[in-house]
Amino acid sequence: YSVQQGKHRVEILMFGHVLHLRLFEASLRSQYEPTAKELAAQAKGEWSYWAKWQFTPSGRLQVLVNEGYGGKIVDSDSRPVEFQLNKLVGLMATRAVEFLVRNERQAIEDAERQRVREVALERKRRQDAEKQRLAKLEVDAQNWRRAQVIREYLNALEESAERHEHSMEQLELLRWGRAKADWIDPLKPGVVDVLDEEIVI
């Protein structure tokens, strides 16, 4: 396995995952015992203060992986840490494999979430297309109805004046009105009108 010096700790690369190694010596805590000098000063009534506890090195080395969560070995009377290194490597490998499994599971879950999202996006796209299609159909139906109303009106206008000769103004109105009805009517595509022009001023 690859071993390298990190910023603050030794790093070991196992199965693509970095584990941190730390060497640690625990301290032993005991009641603080003042020195003879401190006791003499206190006996003279001088101000003195000392801590409640004192800490002394235990002499037992600990090797921790990821602060102990990835494995730990501790010096003992029968087995110093150097005889437990294989055990530590096994614990580290187990931890690294756990990370591998977790990452793989996460990747599978992420892929499934992405698949579900893509399916939802495709359904939303189809739904939006249907809404647009329906909106166009409704507009076409309304325009067709408008064209029919205009034609009916023009026919009634023409019939009301049949007993009399049409004036040039009435004939122009009938021609113009029918052209506009054809332009509005979605069943008569390709009719071009001045209203289609985009005029920039």
Side-chain angles (χ1 to χ4, degrees):
Y1 303 109
S2 171
V3 180
Q4 60 192 25
Q5 180 61 51
K7 191 172 182 182
H8 299 293
R9 296 170 290 193
V10 174
E11 298 177 347
I12 299 176
L13 185 65
M14 277 187 148
F15 309 127
H17 187 78
V18 175
L19 298 167
H20 302 105
L21 204 63
R22 187 160 76 93
L23 304 180
F24 177 73
E25 181 185 3
S27 297
L28 299 175
R29 188 180 78 169
S30 59
Q31 195 80 26
Y32 182 76
E33 294 182 9
T35 64
K37 185 177 178 181
E38 290 170 334
L39 289 172
Q42 187 183 44
K44 290 180 186 176
E46 294 178 11
W47 185 88
S48 60
Y49 168 81
W50 49 80
K52 184 177 181 181
W53 307 106
Q54 65 182 10
F55 297 90
T56 54
S58 65
R60 296 193 183 275
L61 182 64
Q62 297 181 20
V63 184
L64 295 89
V65 178
N66 289 8
E67 301 305 320
Y69 294 106
K72 175 173 86 169
I73 54 174
V74 183
D75 262 336
S76 68
D77 294 334
S78 59
R79 288 182 64 80
V81 290
E82 55 266 32
F83 293 154
Q84 301 177 56
L85 292 177
N86 282 342
K87 174 188 171 185
L88 184 66
V89 171
L91 293 170
M92 293 167 68
T94 300
R95 183 69 168 175
V97 168
E98 285 172 2
F99 281 121
L100 271 180
V101 171
R102 186 196 66 184
N103 291 344
E104 186 174 341
R105 189 180 298 118
Q106 185 67 49
I108 291 169
E109 289 172 2
D110 290 347
E112 178 60 16
R113 270 194 299 272
Q114 182 63 25
R115 187 193 66 79
V116 169
R117 184 173 183 277
E118 286 171 1
V119 168
L121 286 172
E122 176 58 23
R123 289 178 62 195
K124 181 74 169 62
R125 187 196 63 74
R126 287 202 309 266
Q127 186 184 69
D128 290 345
E130 284 292 297
K131 285 179 181 176
Q132 288 176 0
R133 194 175 174 192
L134 178 60
K136 183 182 182 311
L137 180 63
E138 289 173 339
V139 169
D140 286 349
Q142 289 167 3
N143 286 337
W144 177 80
R145 175 57 62 198
R146 284 174 63 206
Q148 292 301 97
V149 168
I150 291 171
R151 288 184 186 119
E152 287 171 10
Y153 169 73
L154 292 174
N155 288 340
L157 184 64
E158 190 174 32
E159 287 172 12
S160 71
E162 264 185 0
R163 296 182 193 137
H164 311 291
E165 207 174 297
H166 293 295
S167 67
M168 290 298 290
E169 187 180 333
Q170 289 172 326
L171 289 173
E172 173 57 22
L173 175 64
L174 292 171
R175 184 202 63 74
W176 178 86
R178 288 188 173 116
K180 286 294 180 263
D182 288 347
W183 177 73
I184 292 170
D185 193 344
L187 300 180
K188 292 186 176 285
V191 177
V192 180
D193 191 88
V194 68
L195 296 177
D196 291 315
E197 291 180 20
E198 223 178 283
I199 301 170
V200 179
I201 299 176

Short mmCIF file of all heavy atoms in Angstrom, two decimals, residues 160-186:
data_model
loop_
_atom_site.label_atom_id
_atom_site.label_comp_id
_atom_site.label_asym_id
_atom_site.label_seq_id
_atom_site.Cartn_x
_atom_site.Cartn_y
_atom_site.Cartn_z
N SER A 160 -79.21 40.95 -47.35
CA SER A 160 -80.07 42.09 -47.00
C SER A 160 -80.06 43.15 -48.09
O SER A 160 -81.01 43.93 -48.22
CB SER A 160 -79.65 42.70 -45.67
OG SER A 160 -78.41 43.39 -45.82
N ALA A 161 -79.03 43.18 -48.88
CA ALA A 161 -78.93 44.20 -49.93
C ALA A 161 -79.19 43.62 -51.31
O ALA A 161 -78.96 44.29 -52.31
CB ALA A 161 -77.54 44.84 -49.87
N GLU A 162 -79.72 42.37 -51.40
CA GLU A 162 -79.90 41.72 -52.71
C GLU A 162 -80.97 42.43 -53.55
O GLU A 162 -80.89 42.45 -54.77
CB GLU A 162 -80.27 40.25 -52.52
CG GLU A 162 -79.06 39.35 -52.61
CD GLU A 162 -79.45 37.88 -52.53
OE1 GLU A 162 -80.64 37.57 -52.42
OE2 GLU A 162 -78.54 37.05 -52.59
N ARG A 163 -81.97 42.97 -52.89
CA ARG A 163 -83.04 43.62 -53.63
C ARG A 163 -82.55 44.93 -54.27
O ARG A 163 -83.15 45.43 -55.21
CB ARG A 163 -84.21 43.91 -52.70
CG ARG A 163 -84.83 42.63 -52.16
CD ARG A 163 -86.00 42.91 -51.28
NE ARG A 163 -86.37 41.69 -50.56
CZ ARG A 163 -86.68 41.64 -49.30
NH1 ARG A 163 -86.69 42.75 -48.58
NH2 ARG A 163 -87.02 40.51 -48.73
N HIS A 164 -81.48 45.44 -53.70
CA HIS A 164 -80.90 46.70 -54.23
C HIS A 164 -79.52 46.40 -54.80
O HIS A 164 -78.88 45.44 -54.44
CB HIS A 164 -80.78 47.74 -53.10
CG HIS A 164 -82.04 47.89 -52.30
ND1 HIS A 164 -83.19 48.45 -52.81
CD2 HIS A 164 -82.33 47.53 -51.02
CE1 HIS A 164 -84.12 48.44 -51.87
NE2 HIS A 164 -83.62 47.88 -50.77
N GLU A 165 -79.11 47.21 -55.63
CA GLU A 165 -77.76 47.04 -56.20
C GLU A 165 -76.73 47.45 -55.17
O GLU A 165 -76.91 48.43 -54.46
CB GLU A 165 -77.64 47.94 -57.45
CG GLU A 165 -76.64 47.40 -58.44
CD GLU A 165 -76.65 48.23 -59.71
OE1 GLU A 165 -77.68 48.26 -60.39
OE2 GLU A 165 -75.61 48.84 -59.96
N HIS A 166 -75.66 46.63 -55.05
CA HIS A 166 -74.60 46.95 -54.07
C HIS A 166 -73.78 48.14 -54.54
O HIS A 166 -73.45 48.24 -55.73
CB HIS A 166 -73.64 45.75 -53.89
CG HIS A 166 -74.31 44.57 -53.23
ND1 HIS A 166 -74.78 44.59 -51.96
CD2 HIS A 166 -74.58 43.32 -53.71
CE1 HIS A 166 -75.31 43.41 -51.65
NE2 HIS A 166 -75.21 42.62 -52.71
N SER A 167 -73.43 48.95 -53.57
CA SER A 167 -72.54 50.06 -53.90
C SER A 167 -71.10 49.55 -53.96
O SER A 167 -70.79 48.44 -53.49
CB SER A 167 -72.65 51.15 -52.83
OG SER A 167 -72.13 50.67 -51.59
N MET A 168 -70.26 50.34 -54.53
CA MET A 168 -68.84 49.98 -54.61
C MET A 168 -68.25 49.79 -53.20
O MET A 168 -67.44 48.90 -52.97
CB MET A 168 -68.04 51.06 -55.36
CG MET A 168 -68.36 51.13 -56.84
SD MET A 168 -67.95 49.59 -57.69
CE MET A 168 -66.20 49.63 -57.63
N GLU A 169 -68.71 50.61 -52.27
CA GLU A 169 -68.21 50.53 -50.89
C GLU A 169 -68.62 49.21 -50.24
O GLU A 169 -67.83 48.56 -49.57
CB GLU A 169 -68.76 51.70 -50.09
CG GLU A 169 -68.18 51.80 -48.69
CD GLU A 169 -68.74 52.98 -47.92
OE1 GLU A 169 -69.15 53.98 -48.55
OE2 GLU A 169 -68.74 52.90 -46.68
N GLN A 170 -69.91 48.78 -50.50
CA GLN A 170 -70.38 47.51 -49.95
C GLN A 170 -69.65 46.32 -50.57
O GLN A 170 -69.28 45.37 -49.88
CB GLN A 170 -71.88 47.37 -50.17
CG GLN A 170 -72.71 48.31 -49.31
CD GLN A 170 -74.18 48.28 -49.68
OE1 GLN A 170 -74.53 48.11 -50.87
NE2 GLN A 170 -75.03 48.47 -48.68
N LEU A 171 -69.44 46.38 -51.88
CA LEU A 171 -68.72 45.29 -52.56
C LEU A 171 -67.28 45.18 -52.03
O LEU A 171 -66.76 44.07 -51.83
CB LEU A 171 -68.70 45.55 -54.08
CG LEU A 171 -70.04 45.37 -54.80
CD1 LEU A 171 -69.95 45.83 -56.25
CD2 LEU A 171 -70.52 43.92 -54.71
N GLU A 172 -66.67 46.33 -51.80
CA GLU A 172 -65.30 46.33 -51.26
C GLU A 172 -65.29 45.75 -49.86
O GLU A 172 -64.39 44.98 -49.49
CB GLU A 172 -64.73 47.75 -51.28
CG GLU A 172 -63.38 47.90 -50.60
CD GLU A 172 -62.29 47.00 -51.18
OE1 GLU A 172 -62.41 46.54 -52.34
OE2 GLU A 172 -61.32 46.72 -50.44
N LEU A 173 -66.30 46.10 -49.05
CA LEU A 173 -66.40 45.58 -47.69
C LEU A 173 -66.56 44.05 -47.71
O LEU A 173 -65.91 43.34 -46.93
CB LEU A 173 -67.56 46.23 -46.94
CG LEU A 173 -67.83 45.68 -45.54
CD1 LEU A 173 -66.63 45.94 -44.62
CD2 LEU A 173 -69.09 46.28 -44.94
N LEU A 174 -67.41 43.55 -48.62
CA LEU A 174 -67.62 42.09 -48.73
C LEU A 174 -66.32 41.38 -49.14
O LEU A 174 -65.96 40.35 -48.59
CB LEU A 174 -68.74 41.78 -49.73
CG LEU A 174 -70.15 42.20 -49.31
CD1 LEU A 174 -71.12 42.04 -50.47
CD2 LEU A 174 -70.61 41.38 -48.10
N ARG A 175 -65.63 41.95 -50.13
CA ARG A 175 -64.37 41.34 -50.59
C ARG A 175 -63.32 41.37 -49.49
O ARG A 175 -62.68 40.37 -49.19
CB ARG A 175 -63.86 42.11 -51.82
CG ARG A 175 -62.59 41.48 -52.43
CD ARG A 175 -61.82 42.50 -53.24
NE ARG A 175 -61.32 43.61 -52.46
CZ ARG A 175 -60.29 43.55 -51.61
NH1 ARG A 175 -59.65 42.42 -51.42
NH2 ARG A 175 -59.91 44.62 -50.94
N TRP A 176 -63.18 42.54 -48.87
CA TRP A 176 -62.19 42.71 -47.79
C TRP A 176 -62.50 41.81 -46.60
O TRP A 176 -61.63 41.15 -46.05
CB TRP A 176 -62.17 44.19 -47.37
CG TRP A 176 -61.23 44.47 -46.23
CD1 TRP A 176 -59.91 44.75 -46.32
CD2 TRP A 176 -61.56 44.51 -44.83
NE1 TRP A 176 -59.37 44.95 -45.07
CE2 TRP A 176 -60.38 44.81 -44.14
CE3 TRP A 176 -62.74 44.31 -44.12
CZ2 TRP A 176 -60.34 44.92 -42.76
CZ3 TRP A 176 -62.70 44.43 -42.75
CH2 TRP A 176 -61.50 44.73 -42.06
N GLY A 177 -63.75 41.75 -46.19
CA GLY A 177 -64.16 40.95 -45.04
C GLY A 177 -63.93 39.46 -45.27
O GLY A 177 -63.47 38.74 -44.37
N ARG A 178 -64.24 38.97 -46.50
CA ARG A 178 -64.02 37.54 -46.79
C ARG A 178 -62.52 37.21 -46.82
O ARG A 178 -62.10 36.13 -46.40
CB ARG A 178 -64.70 37.17 -48.10
CG ARG A 178 -66.23 37.14 -47.94
CD ARG A 178 -66.97 36.60 -49.15
NE ARG A 178 -68.37 36.46 -48.81
CZ ARG A 178 -69.36 37.14 -49.40
NH1 ARG A 178 -69.09 38.02 -50.36
NH2 ARG A 178 -70.61 36.93 -49.03
N ALA A 179 -61.71 38.14 -47.28
CA ALA A 179 -60.25 37.94 -47.28
C ALA A 179 -59.73 37.86 -45.85
O ALA A 179 -58.87 37.02 -45.53
CB ALA A 179 -59.56 39.07 -48.05
N LYS A 180 -60.27 38.72 -45.00
CA LYS A 180 -59.85 38.69 -43.59
C LYS A 180 -60.31 37.40 -42.91
O LYS A 180 -59.58 36.81 -42.12
CB LYS A 180 -60.41 39.90 -42.82
CG LYS A 180 -59.71 41.20 -43.16
CD LYS A 180 -58.26 41.18 -42.69
CE LYS A 180 -57.56 42.49 -43.03
NZ LYS A 180 -56.80 42.41 -44.27
N ALA A 181 -61.51 36.95 -43.22
CA ALA A 181 -62.00 35.68 -42.65
C ALA A 181 -61.11 34.52 -43.09
O ALA A 181 -60.78 33.62 -42.29
CB ALA A 181 -63.45 35.45 -43.06
N ASP A 182 -60.69 34.52 -44.37
CA ASP A 182 -59.78 33.47 -44.85
C ASP A 182 -58.44 33.54 -44.14
O ASP A 182 -57.81 32.51 -43.87
CB ASP A 182 -59.57 33.61 -46.37
CG ASP A 182 -60.81 33.19 -47.15
OD1 ASP A 182 -61.72 32.57 -46.54
OD2 ASP A 182 -60.88 33.49 -48.35
N TRP A 183 -57.98 34.77 -43.87
CA TRP A 183 -56.69 34.93 -43.17
C TRP A 183 -56.77 34.41 -41.73
O TRP A 183 -55.85 33.77 -41.24
CB TRP A 183 -56.30 36.41 -43.18
CG TRP A 183 -55.03 36.69 -42.42
CD1 TRP A 183 -53.77 36.39 -42.82
CD2 TRP A 183 -54.92 37.33 -41.15
NE1 TRP A 183 -52.86 36.80 -41.87
CE2 TRP A 183 -53.55 37.38 -40.82
CE3 TRP A 183 -55.84 37.87 -40.25
CZ2 TRP A 183 -53.07 37.94 -39.65
CZ3 TRP A 183 -55.37 38.44 -39.09
CH2 TRP A 183 -54.00 38.46 -38.78
N ILE A 184 -57.90 34.65 -41.07
CA ILE A 184 -58.09 34.17 -39.69
C ILE A 184 -58.28 32.67 -39.64
O ILE A 184 -57.80 32.00 -38.72
CB ILE A 184 -59.32 34.88 -39.05
CG1 ILE A 184 -59.02 36.38 -38.85
CG2 ILE A 184 -59.70 34.24 -37.72
CD1 ILE A 184 -60.24 37.20 -38.45
N ASP A 185 -58.95 32.10 -40.65
CA ASP A 185 -59.35 30.68 -40.65
C ASP A 185 -58.12 29.76 -40.70
O ASP A 185 -57.36 29.79 -41.67
CB ASP A 185 -60.24 30.41 -41.87
CG ASP A 185 -60.93 29.06 -41.77
OD1 ASP A 185 -60.50 28.21 -40.94
OD2 ASP A 185 -61.89 28.84 -42.52
N PRO A 186 -57.90 28.91 -39.66
CA PRO A 186 -56.74 28.00 -39.68
C PRO A 186 -56.86 26.89 -40.72
O PRO A 186 -55.89 26.23 -41.04
CB PRO A 186 -56.72 27.42 -38.25
CG PRO A 186 -58.12 27.56 -37.77
CD PRO A 186 -58.68 28.78 -38.42
#
